[in-house]
Structures are given as C-alpha cells and as structure tokens.
Amino acid sequence: LKRPTEEIGTFFDLGSNPDTRCVVMERVRGKKEYPFVYFISYFNPNIPLTGEEDYTRPLYEMLETQYNIVVKTSKEEIKSNDPILIRRRFVYDVNGVPIEYNVGYYRADSFTYTIEAER
C-alpha cells in the first residue's frame, strides 16, 4: 500500500485524507535479458484489494469475478523523453468510476505506438 500522489488522488477523487493508501502493482515486461517496459498501477482505494490476490490471472478478469468491477474505458497520454517513452493510462468501469491509474515506462527503441479510430 502506498500513499497516492496529488495527481493520483485527484484522479480517484480522494479528497485530502492523509491516511488514504492505494494498492500498487509493479510489473516488468519483456525478456529477462531485455526488459522493455516497466508498469506501475495504482488502484482505487474503494476497491477492497489486499495485494494478496492471484495476479497470475488476467487483472481485469480478476476484478470482474472477485469484485464485480467491469472495466470498460481507458484513456491514454503519451510523452516521449528519449530514450524512454512514458504512457499514462486512466481506466474506468462501466459506470465511469476510475479503477486504475497506470504508468508505463517503455524503451523507446523497442516500442511502436499505433492508434486506430473508427466512427
């Protein structure tokens, strides 16, 4: 459990309670000899996560089956700082409640970002 930054507290609409803590998950993706992304996810403290959940299962599947939280929307911001690309993802459930604040640090030489939009 970690105290959220002001930005994360604002995203989750936590007010100014200094005792509020978020479950935080950190992950590295890629091969052992060539990691290419480091993720940090902060979860809404209103979700009764303990940190002891089975995170070998897909995250959003676990949230749905254990906590009846159905993730629907994510919004992303990308900031390129050579040689690191920083991606922030804001994840909401079907009711528009913020569920996850995720930051990804990518090796810019190993990542291509593609966006497809349909009307």
Side-chain angles (χ1 to χ4, degrees), residues 9-113:
T10 299
F11 174 67
F12 290 131
D13 194 24
L14 299 178
S16 59
N17 183 350
D19 297 326
T20 301
R21 300 285 189 274
C22 293
V23 168
V24 179
M25 180 171 59
E26 299 181 30
R27 298 171 286 170
V28 176
R29 293 283 191 242
K31 297 179 180 175
K32 184 176 181 182
E33 63 278 5
Y34 189 79
F36 61 83
V37 63
Y38 170 59
F39 290 118
I40 305 174
S41 289
Y42 295 81
F43 295 96
N44 190 321
N46 293 321
I47 302 170
L49 294 169
T50 65
E52 302 299 318
E53 287 78 15
D54 179 7
Y55 290 99
T56 60
R57 298 172 55 196
L59 175 64
Y60 299 149
E61 176 186 301
M62 183 268 293
L63 288 174
E64 187 170 347
T65 57
Q66 287 186 234
Y67 301 104
N68 201 31
I69 294 170
V70 180
V71 169
K72 180 180 179 188
T73 307
S74 71
K75 300 176 184 179
E76 298 189 2
E77 294 177 353
I78 296 175
K79 181 179 179 183
S80 181
N81 293 337
D82 287 343
I84 300 294
L85 182 139
I86 300 170
R87 193 252 326 123
R88 286 183 173 77
R89 177 179 292 147
F90 312 100
V91 181
Y92 304 85
D93 72 4
V94 293
N95 299 309
V97 175
I99 299 301
E100 177 188 11
Y101 181 105
N102 175 275
V103 182
Y105 298 91
Y106 296 82
R107 286 181 55 143
D109 63 353
S110 65
F111 187 74
T112 300
Y113 199 83

